Short mmCIF file of all heavy atoms in Angstrom, two decimals:
data_model
loop_
_atom_site.label_atom_id
_atom_site.label_comp_id
_atom_site.label_asym_id
_atom_site.label_seq_id
_atom_site.Cartn_x
_atom_site.Cartn_y
_atom_site.Cartn_z
N MET G 24 88.64 0.04 -9.12
CA MET G 24 88.49 0.96 -8.02
C MET G 24 88.85 2.38 -8.47
O MET G 24 89.97 2.81 -8.35
CB MET G 24 89.40 0.58 -6.86
CG MET G 24 89.17 -0.76 -6.25
SD MET G 24 87.70 -0.66 -5.23
CE MET G 24 87.39 -2.38 -5.01
N SER G 25 87.88 3.05 -8.98
CA SER G 25 88.10 4.42 -9.42
C SER G 25 87.75 5.38 -8.30
O SER G 25 87.01 5.06 -7.38
CB SER G 25 87.28 4.73 -10.66
OG SER G 25 85.92 4.66 -10.36
N THR G 26 88.24 6.58 -8.37
CA THR G 26 87.98 7.57 -7.34
C THR G 26 86.72 8.37 -7.63
O THR G 26 86.23 9.07 -6.75
CB THR G 26 89.17 8.55 -7.21
OG1 THR G 26 89.38 9.16 -8.48
CG2 THR G 26 90.41 7.82 -6.76
N LYS G 27 86.18 8.27 -8.83
CA LYS G 27 84.97 9.00 -9.18
C LYS G 27 83.75 8.29 -8.62
O LYS G 27 83.65 7.07 -8.65
CB LYS G 27 84.83 9.13 -10.69
CG LYS G 27 85.85 10.03 -11.33
CD LYS G 27 85.56 10.16 -12.80
CE LYS G 27 86.56 11.08 -13.47
NZ LYS G 27 86.28 11.23 -14.90
N GLN G 28 82.82 9.08 -8.13
CA GLN G 28 81.56 8.53 -7.64
C GLN G 28 80.43 9.06 -8.51
O GLN G 28 80.31 10.27 -8.69
CB GLN G 28 81.30 8.92 -6.19
CG GLN G 28 82.27 8.29 -5.21
CD GLN G 28 81.97 8.71 -3.78
OE1 GLN G 28 81.13 9.57 -3.56
NE2 GLN G 28 82.67 8.12 -2.83
N GLY G 29 79.62 8.17 -9.03
CA GLY G 29 78.52 8.59 -9.87
C GLY G 29 77.26 8.77 -9.06
O GLY G 29 77.06 8.11 -8.04
N GLY G 30 76.41 9.68 -9.47
CA GLY G 30 75.13 9.86 -8.79
C GLY G 30 75.26 10.68 -7.52
O GLY G 30 76.25 11.34 -7.26
N LYS G 31 74.21 10.59 -6.74
CA LYS G 31 74.12 11.38 -5.52
C LYS G 31 74.80 10.65 -4.37
O LYS G 31 74.66 9.45 -4.22
CB LYS G 31 72.64 11.56 -5.19
CG LYS G 31 72.29 12.82 -4.48
CD LYS G 31 70.79 12.93 -4.38
CE LYS G 31 70.39 14.32 -3.97
NZ LYS G 31 68.95 14.43 -3.82
N ALA G 32 75.53 11.38 -3.54
CA ALA G 32 76.16 10.78 -2.38
C ALA G 32 75.11 10.51 -1.31
O ALA G 32 74.20 11.32 -1.11
CB ALA G 32 77.23 11.70 -1.83
N LYS G 33 75.18 9.37 -0.66
CA LYS G 33 74.20 9.03 0.36
C LYS G 33 74.47 9.85 1.63
O LYS G 33 75.62 10.05 2.00
CB LYS G 33 74.29 7.53 0.72
CG LYS G 33 73.84 6.64 -0.40
CD LYS G 33 73.86 5.19 0.03
CE LYS G 33 73.38 4.29 -1.07
NZ LYS G 33 73.42 2.88 -0.69
N PRO G 34 73.41 10.31 2.28
CA PRO G 34 73.61 11.06 3.52
C PRO G 34 74.06 10.12 4.64
O PRO G 34 73.73 8.94 4.65
CB PRO G 34 72.23 11.63 3.83
CG PRO G 34 71.29 10.72 3.12
CD PRO G 34 72.02 10.21 1.91
N LEU G 35 74.83 10.66 5.54
CA LEU G 35 75.29 9.87 6.67
C LEU G 35 74.14 9.61 7.63
O LEU G 35 73.27 10.46 7.81
CB LEU G 35 76.42 10.59 7.41
CG LEU G 35 77.68 10.86 6.59
CD1 LEU G 35 78.65 11.71 7.40
CD2 LEU G 35 78.35 9.56 6.20
N LYS G 36 74.13 8.45 8.22
CA LYS G 36 73.07 8.11 9.17
C LYS G 36 73.31 8.81 10.50
O LYS G 36 74.45 8.95 10.94
CB LYS G 36 73.00 6.61 9.40
CG LYS G 36 72.53 5.83 8.20
CD LYS G 36 72.41 4.37 8.55
CE LYS G 36 71.91 3.57 7.36
NZ LYS G 36 71.82 2.14 7.66
N LYS G 37 72.21 9.20 11.14
CA LYS G 37 72.32 9.79 12.47
C LYS G 37 72.54 8.69 13.48
O LYS G 37 71.96 7.62 13.36
CB LYS G 37 71.01 10.51 12.85
CG LYS G 37 70.75 11.76 12.09
CD LYS G 37 69.49 12.41 12.63
CE LYS G 37 69.13 13.65 11.88
NZ LYS G 37 67.89 14.24 12.39
N PRO G 38 73.35 8.94 14.48
CA PRO G 38 73.49 7.93 15.53
C PRO G 38 72.20 7.83 16.33
O PRO G 38 71.50 8.84 16.52
CB PRO G 38 74.63 8.46 16.39
CG PRO G 38 74.68 9.92 16.11
CD PRO G 38 74.20 10.08 14.69
N LYS G 39 71.83 6.63 16.74
CA LYS G 39 70.60 6.45 17.50
C LYS G 39 70.72 7.13 18.85
O LYS G 39 71.75 7.03 19.51
CB LYS G 39 70.31 4.96 17.69
CG LYS G 39 69.93 4.26 16.42
CD LYS G 39 69.53 2.84 16.68
CE LYS G 39 69.11 2.15 15.40
NZ LYS G 39 68.74 0.75 15.62
N SER G 40 69.65 7.81 19.22
CA SER G 40 69.67 8.49 20.52
C SER G 40 69.39 7.47 21.62
O SER G 40 68.62 6.53 21.44
CB SER G 40 68.63 9.60 20.56
OG SER G 40 67.35 9.06 20.36
N ASP G 41 70.02 7.67 22.75
CA ASP G 41 69.81 6.77 23.88
C ASP G 41 68.43 6.98 24.46
O ASP G 41 67.87 8.08 24.37
CB ASP G 41 70.86 7.03 24.98
CG ASP G 41 72.26 6.71 24.49
OD1 ASP G 41 72.39 5.82 23.62
OD2 ASP G 41 73.21 7.34 24.97
N LYS G 42 67.86 5.94 25.03
CA LYS G 42 66.56 6.08 25.67
C LYS G 42 66.70 6.99 26.89
O LYS G 42 67.66 6.88 27.64
CB LYS G 42 66.00 4.73 26.09
CG LYS G 42 65.53 3.90 24.93
CD LYS G 42 64.70 2.74 25.41
CE LYS G 42 64.05 2.06 24.22
NZ LYS G 42 63.06 1.08 24.63
N LYS G 43 65.73 7.85 27.05
CA LYS G 43 65.77 8.79 28.16
C LYS G 43 65.29 8.11 29.43
O LYS G 43 64.40 7.27 29.39
CB LYS G 43 64.87 9.99 27.87
CG LYS G 43 65.34 10.81 26.69
CD LYS G 43 64.42 11.98 26.44
CE LYS G 43 64.87 12.77 25.23
NZ LYS G 43 63.96 13.86 24.94
N ASP G 44 65.87 8.52 30.53
CA ASP G 44 65.40 8.03 31.82
C ASP G 44 64.37 9.00 32.35
O ASP G 44 64.63 10.19 32.51
CB ASP G 44 66.57 7.93 32.82
CG ASP G 44 67.58 6.87 32.40
OD1 ASP G 44 67.17 5.88 31.78
OD2 ASP G 44 68.77 7.04 32.72
N TYR G 45 63.16 8.49 32.57
CA TYR G 45 62.08 9.33 33.05
C TYR G 45 61.90 9.11 34.54
O TYR G 45 61.97 7.99 35.03
CB TYR G 45 60.77 8.97 32.34
CG TYR G 45 60.81 9.23 30.85
CD1 TYR G 45 60.74 8.18 29.94
CD2 TYR G 45 60.91 10.52 30.36
CE1 TYR G 45 60.75 8.42 28.58
CE2 TYR G 45 60.93 10.76 29.00
CZ TYR G 45 60.85 9.71 28.12
OH TYR G 45 60.88 9.96 26.77
N ASP G 46 61.61 10.21 35.25
CA ASP G 46 61.29 10.06 36.67
C ASP G 46 59.78 9.90 36.80
O ASP G 46 59.05 9.85 35.82
CB ASP G 46 61.83 11.23 37.48
CG ASP G 46 61.26 12.58 37.04
OD1 ASP G 46 60.47 12.59 36.07
OD2 ASP G 46 61.59 13.59 37.66
N GLU G 47 59.30 9.79 38.01
CA GLU G 47 57.88 9.50 38.26
C GLU G 47 56.98 10.60 37.71
O GLU G 47 55.91 10.32 37.18
CB GLU G 47 57.65 9.33 39.76
CG GLU G 47 58.30 8.08 40.33
CD GLU G 47 58.15 7.98 41.83
OE1 GLU G 47 57.34 8.74 42.40
OE2 GLU G 47 58.82 7.14 42.43
N ILE G 48 57.40 11.84 37.83
CA ILE G 48 56.59 12.97 37.36
C ILE G 48 56.45 12.91 35.84
O ILE G 48 55.36 13.09 35.30
CB ILE G 48 57.20 14.31 37.81
CG1 ILE G 48 57.21 14.38 39.34
CG2 ILE G 48 56.44 15.49 37.22
CD1 ILE G 48 57.98 15.54 39.90
N ASP G 49 57.58 12.66 35.15
CA ASP G 49 57.53 12.57 33.70
C ASP G 49 56.64 11.42 33.25
O ASP G 49 55.86 11.56 32.30
CB ASP G 49 58.94 12.38 33.12
CG ASP G 49 59.80 13.63 33.24
OD1 ASP G 49 59.22 14.73 33.35
OD2 ASP G 49 61.03 13.50 33.22
N MET G 50 56.75 10.27 33.91
CA MET G 50 55.93 9.11 33.55
C MET G 50 54.45 9.41 33.76
O MET G 50 53.61 9.03 32.96
CB MET G 50 56.34 7.88 34.36
CG MET G 50 57.71 7.35 33.98
SD MET G 50 57.84 6.84 32.27
CE MET G 50 56.86 5.36 32.30
N ALA G 51 54.13 10.13 34.84
CA ALA G 51 52.74 10.49 35.10
C ALA G 51 52.21 11.42 34.01
O ALA G 51 51.08 11.27 33.55
CB ALA G 51 52.63 11.14 36.47
N ASN G 52 53.03 12.38 33.60
CA ASN G 52 52.62 13.31 32.54
C ASN G 52 52.42 12.59 31.21
O ASN G 52 51.47 12.88 30.48
CB ASN G 52 53.65 14.43 32.38
CG ASN G 52 53.62 15.42 33.52
OD1 ASN G 52 52.63 15.54 34.22
ND2 ASN G 52 54.73 16.11 33.73
N ILE G 53 53.30 11.65 30.90
CA ILE G 53 53.18 10.89 29.66
C ILE G 53 51.91 10.05 29.69
O ILE G 53 51.17 10.00 28.70
CB ILE G 53 54.44 10.01 29.45
CG1 ILE G 53 55.65 10.90 29.14
CG2 ILE G 53 54.21 9.02 28.32
CD1 ILE G 53 56.96 10.16 29.15
N GLN G 54 51.65 9.41 30.83
CA GLN G 54 50.45 8.58 30.96
C GLN G 54 49.19 9.43 30.82
O GLN G 54 48.23 9.05 30.15
CB GLN G 54 50.46 7.86 32.30
CG GLN G 54 49.31 6.91 32.52
CD GLN G 54 49.38 5.70 31.61
OE1 GLN G 54 50.44 5.34 31.13
NE2 GLN G 54 48.25 5.09 31.38
N LYS G 55 49.20 10.62 31.44
CA LYS G 55 48.06 11.53 31.37
C LYS G 55 47.80 11.98 29.94
O LYS G 55 46.66 12.02 29.48
CB LYS G 55 48.32 12.74 32.27
CG LYS G 55 47.16 13.68 32.40
CD LYS G 55 47.49 14.80 33.36
CE LYS G 55 46.35 15.78 33.47
NZ LYS G 55 46.67 16.91 34.34
N LYS G 56 48.88 12.29 29.22
CA LYS G 56 48.76 12.73 27.83
C LYS G 56 48.17 11.61 26.96
O LYS G 56 47.31 11.86 26.12
CB LYS G 56 50.12 13.14 27.29
CG LYS G 56 50.06 13.75 25.91
CD LYS G 56 51.42 14.08 25.39
CE LYS G 56 51.82 15.48 25.80
NZ LYS G 56 53.07 15.92 25.16
N LYS G 57 48.62 10.36 27.18
CA LYS G 57 48.09 9.24 26.43
C LYS G 57 46.60 9.05 26.68
O LYS G 57 45.83 8.78 25.77
CB LYS G 57 48.85 7.95 26.78
CG LYS G 57 50.21 7.86 26.14
CD LYS G 57 50.86 6.53 26.47
CE LYS G 57 52.25 6.44 25.88
NZ LYS G 57 52.89 5.15 26.21
N GLU G 58 46.20 9.19 27.95
CA GLU G 58 44.78 9.03 28.29
C GLU G 58 43.94 10.13 27.64
O GLU G 58 42.84 9.86 27.15
CB GLU G 58 44.60 9.04 29.80
CG GLU G 58 45.13 7.79 30.49
CD GLU G 58 45.09 7.87 32.00
OE1 GLU G 58 44.62 8.90 32.55
OE2 GLU G 58 45.52 6.90 32.64
N GLU G 59 44.44 11.36 27.63
CA GLU G 59 43.72 12.47 27.01
C GLU G 59 43.56 12.24 25.51
O GLU G 59 42.49 12.49 24.94
CB GLU G 59 44.44 13.79 27.27
CG GLU G 59 44.32 14.28 28.70
CD GLU G 59 45.12 15.55 28.95
OE1 GLU G 59 45.84 16.00 28.05
OE2 GLU G 59 45.01 16.07 30.08
N GLU G 60 44.64 11.77 24.86
CA GLU G 60 44.57 11.50 23.42
C GLU G 60 43.56 10.39 23.13
O GLU G 60 42.81 10.46 22.16
CB GLU G 60 45.95 11.12 22.89
CG GLU G 60 46.91 12.28 22.82
CD GLU G 60 48.30 11.87 22.38
OE1 GLU G 60 48.52 10.69 22.05
OE2 GLU G 60 49.19 12.74 22.36
N LYS G 61 43.54 9.37 23.99
CA LYS G 61 42.61 8.25 23.81
C LYS G 61 41.17 8.74 23.95
O LYS G 61 40.29 8.40 23.15
CB LYS G 61 42.90 7.17 24.84
CG LYS G 61 42.07 5.92 24.66
CD LYS G 61 42.44 4.88 25.70
CE LYS G 61 41.58 3.65 25.57
NZ LYS G 61 41.86 2.66 26.61
N ALA G 62 40.91 9.57 24.98
CA ALA G 62 39.57 10.11 25.19
C ALA G 62 39.14 10.99 24.01
O ALA G 62 37.99 10.92 23.56
CB ALA G 62 39.53 10.89 26.49
N LEU G 63 40.06 11.80 23.52
CA LEU G 63 39.76 12.68 22.39
C LEU G 63 39.45 11.86 21.14
O LEU G 63 38.52 12.19 20.40
CB LEU G 63 40.95 13.61 22.13
CG LEU G 63 40.76 14.70 21.10
CD1 LEU G 63 39.68 15.68 21.55
CD2 LEU G 63 42.05 15.45 20.86
N LYS G 64 40.20 10.79 20.94
CA LYS G 64 39.96 9.92 19.79
C LYS G 64 38.57 9.29 19.87
O LYS G 64 37.85 9.20 18.88
CB LYS G 64 41.03 8.83 19.77
CG LYS G 64 41.24 8.18 18.46
CD LYS G 64 42.40 7.20 18.55
CE LYS G 64 43.06 7.02 17.23
NZ LYS G 64 44.16 6.05 17.28
N GLU G 65 38.19 8.84 21.07
CA GLU G 65 36.87 8.24 21.26
C GLU G 65 35.76 9.26 21.00
O GLU G 65 34.75 8.95 20.38
CB GLU G 65 36.74 7.68 22.68
CG GLU G 65 37.58 6.44 22.91
CD GLU G 65 37.55 5.97 24.35
OE1 GLU G 65 36.87 6.60 25.19
OE2 GLU G 65 38.22 4.97 24.65
N LEU G 66 35.96 10.49 21.48
CA LEU G 66 34.96 11.54 21.25
C LEU G 66 34.81 11.86 19.76
O LEU G 66 33.71 12.07 19.28
CB LEU G 66 35.33 12.80 22.02
CG LEU G 66 35.11 12.76 23.53
CD1 LEU G 66 35.66 14.02 24.18
CD2 LEU G 66 33.64 12.60 23.86
N LYS G 67 35.94 11.88 19.05
CA LYS G 67 35.87 12.15 17.61
C LYS G 67 35.10 11.05 16.89
O LYS G 67 34.29 11.32 16.01
CB LYS G 67 37.28 12.26 17.03
CG LYS G 67 37.96 13.57 17.30
CD LYS G 67 39.30 13.63 16.62
CE LYS G 67 40.02 14.93 16.90
NZ LYS G 67 41.33 14.97 16.25
N ALA G 68 35.35 9.80 17.28
CA ALA G 68 34.65 8.68 16.65
C ALA G 68 33.16 8.76 16.95
O ALA G 68 32.32 8.53 16.08
CB ALA G 68 35.23 7.37 17.15
N LYS G 69 32.82 9.10 18.19
CA LYS G 69 31.42 9.21 18.59
C LYS G 69 30.73 10.35 17.84
O LYS G 69 29.59 10.21 17.40
CB LYS G 69 31.36 9.44 20.10
CG LYS G 69 30.02 9.19 20.72
CD LYS G 69 30.12 9.31 22.24
CE LYS G 69 28.84 8.92 22.90
NZ LYS G 69 28.91 9.04 24.36
N ALA G 70 31.43 11.47 17.70
CA ALA G 70 30.85 12.63 17.03
C ALA G 70 30.66 12.36 15.54
O ALA G 70 29.68 12.83 14.94
CB ALA G 70 31.74 13.85 17.22
N SER G 71 31.55 11.61 14.93
CA SER G 71 31.43 11.34 13.50
C SER G 71 30.25 10.42 13.21
O SER G 71 29.69 10.45 12.12
CB SER G 71 32.72 10.73 12.96
OG SER G 71 32.92 9.44 13.51
N GLN G 72 29.82 9.62 14.17
CA GLN G 72 28.68 8.73 13.97
C GLN G 72 27.36 9.49 14.03
O GLN G 72 26.43 9.18 13.32
CB GLN G 72 28.66 7.64 15.05
CG GLN G 72 29.79 6.66 14.92
CD GLN G 72 29.84 5.70 16.10
OE1 GLN G 72 29.08 5.85 17.05
NE2 GLN G 72 30.72 4.72 16.03
N LYS G 73 27.29 10.51 14.88
CA LYS G 73 26.03 11.23 15.11
C LYS G 73 25.63 12.11 13.95
O LYS G 73 24.46 12.24 13.66
CB LYS G 73 26.16 12.07 16.38
CG LYS G 73 26.19 11.23 17.62
CD LYS G 73 25.33 11.85 18.66
CE LYS G 73 25.29 10.92 19.85
NZ LYS G 73 24.40 11.36 20.85
N GLY G 74 26.55 12.78 13.33
CA GLY G 74 26.20 13.70 12.26
C GLY G 74 26.21 15.13 12.77
O GLY G 74 27.13 15.53 13.46
N SER G 75 25.18 15.91 12.48
CA SER G 75 25.16 17.31 12.87
C SER G 75 24.88 17.45 14.36
O SER G 75 24.28 16.59 14.99
CB SER G 75 24.11 18.08 12.07
OG SER G 75 22.83 17.57 12.37
N PHE G 76 25.29 18.57 14.92
CA PHE G 76 25.13 18.81 16.35
C PHE G 76 23.67 19.01 16.74
O PHE G 76 23.21 18.51 17.74
CB PHE G 76 25.95 20.02 16.79
CG PHE G 76 27.41 19.74 16.84
CD1 PHE G 76 28.27 20.27 15.89
CD2 PHE G 76 27.95 18.94 17.83
CE1 PHE G 76 29.62 20.02 15.93
CE2 PHE G 76 29.30 18.68 17.88
CZ PHE G 76 30.14 19.22 16.93
N GLY G 77 22.94 19.79 15.94
CA GLY G 77 21.57 20.11 16.27
C GLY G 77 20.65 18.90 16.14
O GLY G 77 19.65 18.81 16.84
N GLY G 78 20.96 18.03 15.28
CA GLY G 78 20.12 16.87 15.08
C GLY G 78 18.97 17.11 14.12
O GLY G 78 18.44 16.20 13.54
N SER G 79 18.57 18.38 13.96
CA SER G 79 17.44 18.68 13.08
C SER G 79 17.91 19.17 11.72
O SER G 79 17.11 19.35 10.82
CB SER G 79 16.55 19.73 13.73
OG SER G 79 17.27 20.93 13.93
N GLY G 80 19.19 19.40 11.56
CA GLY G 80 19.71 19.89 10.28
C GLY G 80 19.35 21.34 10.05
O GLY G 80 19.32 22.13 10.98
N LEU G 81 19.03 21.70 8.82
CA LEU G 81 18.67 23.08 8.49
C LEU G 81 17.26 23.38 8.98
O LEU G 81 16.34 22.58 8.77
CB LEU G 81 18.75 23.30 6.99
CG LEU G 81 20.13 23.16 6.35
CD1 LEU G 81 20.01 23.26 4.85
CD2 LEU G 81 21.07 24.21 6.88
N LYS G 82 17.11 24.53 9.59
CA LYS G 82 15.79 24.90 10.08
C LYS G 82 15.05 25.66 8.98
O LYS G 82 15.62 26.50 8.29
CB LYS G 82 15.90 25.78 11.32
CG LYS G 82 16.42 25.02 12.51
CD LYS G 82 16.30 25.84 13.78
CE LYS G 82 16.74 25.02 14.95
NZ LYS G 82 16.61 25.73 16.20
N LYS G 83 13.82 25.34 8.83
CA LYS G 83 13.00 26.01 7.83
C LYS G 83 12.00 26.91 8.54
O LYS G 83 11.52 26.61 9.63
CB LYS G 83 12.24 24.98 6.98
CG LYS G 83 13.16 24.08 6.20
CD LYS G 83 12.38 23.10 5.37
CE LYS G 83 13.29 22.20 4.59
NZ LYS G 83 12.57 21.21 3.81
N SER G 84 11.67 28.00 7.90
CA SER G 84 10.68 28.90 8.49
C SER G 84 9.29 28.30 8.28
O SER G 84 9.07 27.48 7.40
CB SER G 84 10.76 30.29 7.86
OG SER G 84 10.42 30.21 6.50
N GLY G 85 8.35 28.72 9.09
CA GLY G 85 6.99 28.20 9.01
C GLY G 85 6.17 28.79 7.87
O GLY G 85 5.06 28.34 7.59
N LYS G 86 6.71 29.81 7.18
CA LYS G 86 5.96 30.47 6.10
C LYS G 86 5.96 29.60 4.86
O LYS G 86 6.91 28.89 4.58
CB LYS G 86 6.58 31.82 5.79
CG LYS G 86 6.51 32.80 6.94
CD LYS G 86 7.13 34.11 6.58
CE LYS G 86 7.12 35.05 7.75
NZ LYS G 86 7.78 36.31 7.43
N LYS G 87 4.86 29.70 4.10
CA LYS G 87 4.77 28.97 2.84
C LYS G 87 4.69 29.91 1.67
O LYS G 87 4.19 30.94 1.67
CB LYS G 87 3.54 28.06 2.82
CG LYS G 87 3.74 26.90 3.74
CD LYS G 87 2.59 25.92 3.55
CE LYS G 87 2.80 24.71 4.44
NZ LYS G 87 1.75 23.75 4.32
#
């Protein structure tokens, strides 16, 4: 049992935070935020399948 410590000292762990008590308004806001994120995720997936917005890609002039 020596008093010397080799290497890096380990950081102390943070105490776990208690769960917050949410009222009805907070729960409604959390639910609304989850729904918005879900809708946004679905739109991103849908947009990635389609490709370009115009659908025609690069436009070419009629001149030859």
Side-chain angles (χ1 to χ4, degrees):
M24 299 284 165
S25 64
T26 58
K27 291 184 179 181
Q28 293 180 352
K31 210 173 193 182
K33 292 184 179 179
L35 298 174
K36 291 184 179 178
K37 289 183 182 179
K39 291 185 178 179
S40 60
D41 296 331
K42 287 194 171 190
K43 296 180 181 177
D44 293 329
Y45 296 114
D46 60 358
E47 292 176 13
I48 297 171
D49 290 337
M50 290 300 288
N52 287 338
I53 290 170
Q54 183 69 23
K55 186 177 178 183
K56 186 183 271 188
K57 283 183 182 179
E58 289 174 1
E59 287 176 356
E60 288 176 4
K61 185 179 178 184
L63 187 63
K64 201 176 207 182
E65 289 175 0
L66 286 174
K67 282 184 182 179
K69 196 174 186 181
S71 66
Q72 292 173 354
K73 289 223 175 186
S75 64
F76 286 108
S79 61
L81 296 174
K82 291 190 176 182
K83 297 180 180 178
S84 64
K86 296 180 183 177
K87 288 188 178 180

